[in-house]
């Protein structure tokens, strides 16, 4: 199935901003985080799927847009 | 040596140096400005009349070696909101005032002769009143230059530009930072209050000060180490903010559907990537400049930056998310360099970059200029506004008044103050802060975005009502306390997630003054401040009907989540049950 993966802040370095990627059915967000070795860069801050906050255990569906951010802040 | 209160009367150009009353001894920053304004200012007074007072007070830890303690508070009755105002700033003024032993500077009265502007020069136990006809009609950087030529280069400077002289609601009070650039007491039109006192600038002597006294230096050093470590080890204050600045928020708010776009018509913007923090950091890397820069001495977070143009020439610094959002998604400029150019102009003019930019967003609906027409915006701000043309004065009045003049309904204000950067319908905890804050729509007064969007201090679903009132209440109480210490609000990120951070902060206060406050005492201080401010506002005529978001948010459905503002008045009013 196809999933759109968006990366932000430090996670982009040496990776990509947005990519349409192919995964097996039933994959969860945590597996994508591990595949991309994101937490070697910085701990996961925020995970959104289709603009809603989700947990790493979320099971992805065809066409989902997953957005991954390290801990960021401002104000 | 004990700190003292410096009191200035502009009606007869006199000053008094007073001992600090016992009940003010444990107060600093916002706690002190709000206490003084509430006690001494008639809530019914005209904000620009002789009975309003302008109060400056450095934080409790300002002037010490504590990291990030260089914030100075300024308070008055606000001409923008009609309520109490506290706006705090980095720069050098807090440290220098503290080291000179100035607990608070209270400015009252107004000169009889309306044609004269003054400089106040504050030295140890003395204030000099200097007529400055040569500075009238100049903007901030020219004033900084003149003061640098006159005094030691470290002299603290607080100044207003032409917009402040004309007492417009957009006017801020600008403060020199350690790099000779500007920081602002931004919101609420405090520059207009300074203009009404006919004070062009205030300088504070940086040559004859002494270091602040610390009651228990060993204990202070120890607590300070723990505190600094907490700031440096937190992934947000130690890593994210230095690398990308506050502008890292563009993408995350955009992704969450909470980035107000086209004057609050949508929660995301198709061009966010053009103006986001990641793009800004890439530009800085490619063009020279600096991703890290502190707004005050002792800052270990360094969220500020130096942003250059394509040719490597300086464009701006202190380039913040809220300004970039307002000129970008909300007003429509897609070119980050043009946003930077307008940001620098606003610094020099001495105007609130949030209020001015939210006003521009509404000016599109008014038909004054087209969405995204940054060149025309630059012209309005650089020509009409500081020359006081009728159009300049309309813009200079801020979002709320512009809306009234043009008969508009989609006017994003609370208590007359423009709503910043976070869509209340899609970040509901922040909406509660905007509704209830004693300051009007002020994102810093209780930053529920942290817990609604950033997973800091836990998580409360931004699209649901549950838990938002309690979240906004707890954050506003904590923020009122932090605003009294002189600490930068970004210490909140480690404080929310690192159990060592807050106790270390309280330990530093205890070591500085030889007292024994508990965390509960500090929380209670926050509660007292909010209640004091709320009471002032009620006496000034602001009641629960003013603790409301603009009505259009109740019936205009906001994409992409298709949400409305759905809190009842009763639910909002429960905020004050503490």
């Amino acid at each position: 199935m196809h999933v759109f993966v968006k990366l932000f802040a430090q996670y982009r370095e040496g990776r990509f901003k947005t990519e349409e990627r192919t995964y097996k059915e039933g994959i969860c967000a945590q597996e994508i985080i591990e595949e991309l070795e994101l937490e070697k860069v910085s701990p996961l801050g925020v995970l959104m799927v289709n603009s809603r906050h989700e947990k790493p255990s979320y099971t992805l569906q065809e066409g989902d847009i997953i957005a991954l951010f390290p801990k960021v802040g401002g104000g | 040596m004990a700190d003292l209160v410096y009191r200035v009367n502009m009606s007869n150009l006199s000053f008094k140096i007073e001992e600090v009353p016992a009940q003010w001894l444990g107060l600093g920053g916002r706690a002190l400005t709000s206490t003084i304004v509430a006690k001494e200012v008639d809530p019914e007074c005209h904000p620009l009349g002789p009975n309003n007072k302008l109060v400056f007070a450095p934080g409790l830890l300002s002037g010490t070696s504590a990291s990030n303690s260089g914030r100075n508070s300024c308070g008055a009755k606000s001409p923008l909101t009609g309520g109490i105002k506290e706006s705090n700033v980095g720069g050098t003024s807090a440290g220098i005032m503290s080291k000179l032993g100035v607990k608070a500077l209270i400015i009252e009265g107004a000169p009889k002769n309306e044609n004269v502007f003054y400089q106040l020069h504050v030295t140890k136990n003395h204030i000099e009143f200097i007529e400055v006809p040569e500075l009238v009609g100049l903007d901030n950087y020219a004033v900084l230059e003149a003061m640098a030529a006159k005094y030691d280069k470290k002299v603290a400077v607080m100044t207003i530009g032409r917009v402040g002289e004309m007492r417009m609601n957009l006017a801020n009070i600008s403060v020199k930072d350690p790099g000779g650039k500007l920081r602002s007491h931004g919101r609420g039109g405090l520059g207009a209050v300074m203009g009404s006192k006919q004070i062009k600038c205030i300088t504070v002597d940086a040559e004859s000060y002494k270091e602040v006294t610390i009651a228990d230096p060993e204990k202070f050093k120890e607590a300070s180490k723990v505190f600094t470590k907490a700031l440096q080890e937190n992934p947000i204050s130690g890593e994210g903010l230095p690398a990308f600045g506050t502008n890292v928020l563009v993408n995350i708010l955009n992704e969450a559907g909470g980035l107000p776009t086209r004057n609050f018509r949508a929660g995301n913007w198709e061009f966010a990537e053009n103006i986001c923090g990641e793009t800004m950091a890439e530009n800085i890397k490619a063009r020279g400049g600096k991703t890290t820069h502190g707004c005050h001495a002792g800052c270990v977070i360094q969220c500020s930056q130096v942003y250059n143009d394509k040719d490597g020439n300086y464009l701006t610094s202190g380039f913040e998310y809220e300004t970039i959002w307002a000129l970008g998604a909300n007003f429509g400029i897609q070119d980050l360099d043009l946003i930077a150019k307008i940001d620098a102009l606003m610094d020099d003019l001495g105007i609130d970059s949030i209020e001015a930019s939210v006003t521009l967003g509404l000016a599109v609906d008014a038909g004054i200029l087209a969405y995204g027409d940054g060149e025309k915006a630059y012209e309005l701000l650089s020509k009409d506004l500081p020359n006081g043309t009728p159009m300049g004065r309309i813009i200079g009045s801020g979002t709320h008044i512009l809306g009234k003049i043009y008969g508009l309904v989609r006017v994003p204000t609370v208590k007359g103050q423009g709503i910043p950067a976070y869509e209340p319908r899609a970040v509901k905890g922040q909406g509660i802060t905007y509704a209830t804050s004693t300051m009007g729509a002020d994102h810093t007064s209780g930053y529920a975005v942290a817990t609604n969007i950033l997973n800091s201090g836990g998580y409360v679903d931004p699209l649901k009502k549950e838990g938002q009132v309690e979240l906004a209440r707890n954050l506003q109480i904590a923020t009122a306390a932090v605003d009294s210490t002189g600490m930068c609000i970004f210490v909140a990120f480690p404080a929310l997630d690192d159990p060592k951070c807050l106790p270390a902060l309280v330990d530093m206060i205890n070591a500085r003054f030889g007292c024994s406050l508990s965390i509960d005492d500090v929380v209670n201080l926050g509660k007292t401040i909010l209640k004091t401010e709320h009471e002032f506002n009620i006496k000034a005529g602001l009641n629960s009907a003013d603790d409301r978001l603009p009505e259009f948010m109740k019936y205009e459905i906001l994409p992409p989540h298709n949400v409305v503002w759905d809190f009842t008045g009763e639910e909002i009013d429960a905020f004050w049950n503490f």
Side-chain angles (χ1 to χ4, degrees):
Chain A
M1 64 176 184
H2 297 91
V3 172
F4 294 89
V5 181
K6 291 180 171 181
L7 302 179
F8 297 95
Q10 300 96 308
Y11 287 171
R12 287 183 172 182
E13 284 158 32
R15 294 184 187 79
F16 54 87
K17 289 181 184 174
T18 305
E19 256 183 30
E20 185 181 349
R21 295 168 76 90
T22 309
Y23 292 105
K24 62 179 187 332
E25 298 285 332
I27 191 168
C28 76
Q30 181 63 32
E31 291 172 78
I32 297 179
I33 294 164
E34 283 167 16
E35 175 217 353
L36 294 170
E37 300 187 325
L38 298 181
E39 296 204 284
K40 284 189 178 169
V41 179
S42 191
L44 182 75
V46 173
L47 186 173
M48 283 187 247
V49 179
N50 306 329
S51 294
R52 295 298 311 262
H53 289 70
E54 298 290 351
K55 294 203 168 71
S57 57
Y58 175 89
T59 303
L60 289 147
Q61 312 289 321
E62 171 70 30
D64 273 350
I65 300 168
I66 176 171
L68 298 158
F69 298 80
K71 286 290 268 187
V72 293
Chain B
M1 192 182 47
D3 295 339
L4 297 164
V5 171
Y6 287 47
R7 187 183 292 274
V8 171
N9 186 338
M10 291 304 294
S11 297
N12 57 15
L13 304 182
S14 66
F15 71 93
K16 282 190 257 179
I17 310 287
E18 301 169 351
E19 281 184 20
V20 180
Q23 62 271 31
W24 294 358
L25 279 172
L27 306 179
R30 176 175 171 185
L32 190 50
T33 61
S34 287
T35 299
I36 294 173
V37 171
K39 179 167 184 285
E40 300 192 1
V41 175
D42 176 0
E44 294 180 3
C45 77
H46 195 295
L48 302 179
N51 293 321
N52 198 4
K53 299 190 184 187
L54 188 66
V55 183
F56 294 89
L60 288 167
L61 292 170
S62 299
T64 72
S65 61
S67 298
N68 289 72
S69 63
R71 306 289 295 189
N72 204 357
S73 289
C74 180
K77 177 174 175 176
S78 163
L80 186 75
T81 68
I84 199 165
K85 178 58 68 176
E86 183 267 355
S87 175
N88 62 72
V89 70
T92 61
S93 64
I96 292 172
M97 278 175 69
S98 293
K99 288 176 181 180
L100 205 62
V102 183
K103 177 90 173 167
L105 172 64
I106 304 172
I107 299 166
E108 48 196 50
K112 303 272 182 301
N113 180 350
E114 292 196 2
N115 299 317
V116 182
F117 269 85
Y118 295 88
Q119 174 201 346
L120 302 185
H121 186 56
V122 182
T123 52
K124 190 79 193 166
N125 295 326
H126 192 265
I127 292 173
E128 194 181 349
F129 299 79
I130 307 162
E131 288 189 26
V132 284
E134 71 282 8
L135 298 182
V136 173
L138 298 182
D139 291 323
N140 286 328
Y141 280 113
V143 175
L144 288 196
E145 259 176 49
M147 294 304 111
K150 203 164 163 184
Y151 301 105
D152 178 86
K153 67 178 169 49
K154 274 168 47 185
V155 67
V157 185
M158 292 105 107
T159 172
I160 58 171
R162 286 174 285 173
V163 181
E165 289 175 23
M166 287 184 276
R167 308 169 189 191
M168 293 194 219
N169 283 338
L170 292 191
N172 70 29
I173 298 174
S174 299
V175 177
K176 191 172 86 173
D177 80 6
K181 302 296 182 191
L182 293 161
R183 302 283 150 179
S184 321
H185 294 283
R187 306 222 67 191
L190 292 173
V193 179
M194 188 153 142
S196 76
K197 307 286 181 207
Q198 291 162 239
I199 297 171
K200 179 68 182 173
C201 69
I202 303 167
T203 45
V204 187
D205 174 45
E207 289 177 90
S208 60
Y209 65 61
K210 298 272 191 298
E211 295 304 311
V212 299
T213 47
I214 307 279
D216 186 341
E218 273 313 302
K219 199 178 151 197
F220 187 90
K221 213 170 143 187
E222 207 175 295
S224 172
K225 256 190 211 165
V226 175
F227 183 74
T228 302
K229 199 159 170 249
L231 263 50
Q232 288 172 328
E233 287 180 352
N234 179 269
I236 296 178
S237 54
E239 194 181 345
L241 278 168
F244 299 99
T246 60
N247 198 31
V248 74
L249 293 171
V250 166
N251 274 332
I252 198 161
L253 265 303
N254 192 47
E255 197 60 33
L259 186 78
T261 295
R262 294 181 173 81
N263 189 33
F264 291 78
R265 283 179 171 81
N268 51 14
W269 193 44
E270 61 272 35
F271 304 108
E273 192 61 35
N274 294 21
I275 62 162
C276 69
E278 290 88 338
T279 298
M280 184 164 103
E282 269 176 34
N283 287 353
I284 291 174
K285 208 171 158 191
R287 300 169 176 185
K290 285 184 188 170
T291 52
T292 56
H293 181 259
C295 79
H296 62 276
C299 169
V300 298
I301 299 177
Q302 307 263 313
C303 72
S304 183
Q305 61 299 101
V306 173
Y307 186 81
N308 293 341
D309 66 14
K310 288 186 177 109
D311 302 319
N313 300 312
Y314 175 88
L315 265 177
T316 198
S317 60
F319 197 23
E320 304 297 341
Y321 163 65
E322 285 74 15
T323 310
I324 295 168
W325 152 76
L327 289 171
N330 204 50
F331 172 66
I333 303 176
Q334 295 175 33
D335 175 359
L336 190 58
D337 292 0
L338 182 52
I339 296 176
K341 189 177 149 192
I342 297 174
D343 182 63
L345 171 69
M346 293 193 288
D347 277 349
D348 190 31
L349 292 172
I351 59 173
D352 175 3
S353 62
I354 298 178
E355 193 63 44
S357 307
V358 174
T359 304
L360 288 171
L362 186 64
V364 174
D365 286 7
I368 295 169
L369 74 181
Y371 184 68
D373 189 349
E375 297 298 343
K376 173 78 177 171
Y378 191 89
E379 192 184 304
L380 276 173
L381 295 183
S382 62
K383 294 189 179 141
D384 288 87
L385 180 70
N387 288 313
T389 68
M391 179 52 74
R393 286 185 183 268
I394 290 171
I395 298 286
S397 301
T399 315
H400 198 73
I401 290 177
L402 177 91
K404 283 192 184 297
I405 292 172
Y406 281 82
L408 300 172
V409 175
R410 190 187 300 99
V411 180
T413 58
V414 183
K415 299 184 182 75
Q417 182 165 297
I419 297 179
Y422 311 91
E423 196 10 282
R425 286 165 284 186
V427 192
K428 291 187 190 290
Q430 196 60 33
I432 294 292
T433 285
Y434 288 155
T436 54
S437 171
T438 51
M439 302 293 147
D442 174 355
H443 65 289
T444 65
S445 64
Y447 194 63
V449 178
T451 311
N452 278 178
I453 302 290
L454 306 172
N455 287 344
S456 257
Y459 173 68
V460 174
D461 189 331
L463 299 176
K464 293 190 177 144
K465 285 164 49 170
E466 289 73 32
Q468 307 292 9
V469 172
E470 194 187 1
L471 174 68
R473 183 195 296 130
N474 290 340
L475 287 168
Q476 286 194 49
I477 290 168
T479 302
V482 169
D483 285 346
S484 307
T485 61
M487 285 291 160
C488 155
I489 192 62
F490 293 153
V491 309
F493 290 112
L496 283 167
D497 288 326
D498 182 342
K500 294 189 292 297
C501 183
L502 206 52
L505 177 58
V506 177
D507 286 348
M508 286 193 292
I509 297 171
N510 286 334
R512 155 89 159 99
F513 296 100
C515 52
S516 52
L517 297 173
S518 65
I519 289 189
D520 281 349
D521 293 332
V522 175
V523 171
N524 285 332
L525 173 66
K527 289 181 182 172
T528 306
I529 297 164
L530 288 189
K531 286 186 171 172
T532 303
E533 293 170 347
H534 189 220
E535 202 180 316
F536 181 94
N537 282 355
I538 290 169
K539 288 182 192 158
L542 298 171
N543 57 37
S544 57
D546 298 288
D547 280 1
R548 299 291 181 264
L549 294 184
E551 190 201 11
F552 77 89
M553 291 189 173
K554 288 191 196 173
Y555 57 77
E556 279 197 11
I557 298 169
L558 181 86
H561 292 300
N562 300 322
V563 280
V564 292
W565 179 251
D566 49 359
F567 281 87
T568 65
E570 202 178 6
E571 286 165 340
I572 297 169
D573 295 341
F575 173 90
W576 288 106
N577 297 340
F578 61 90

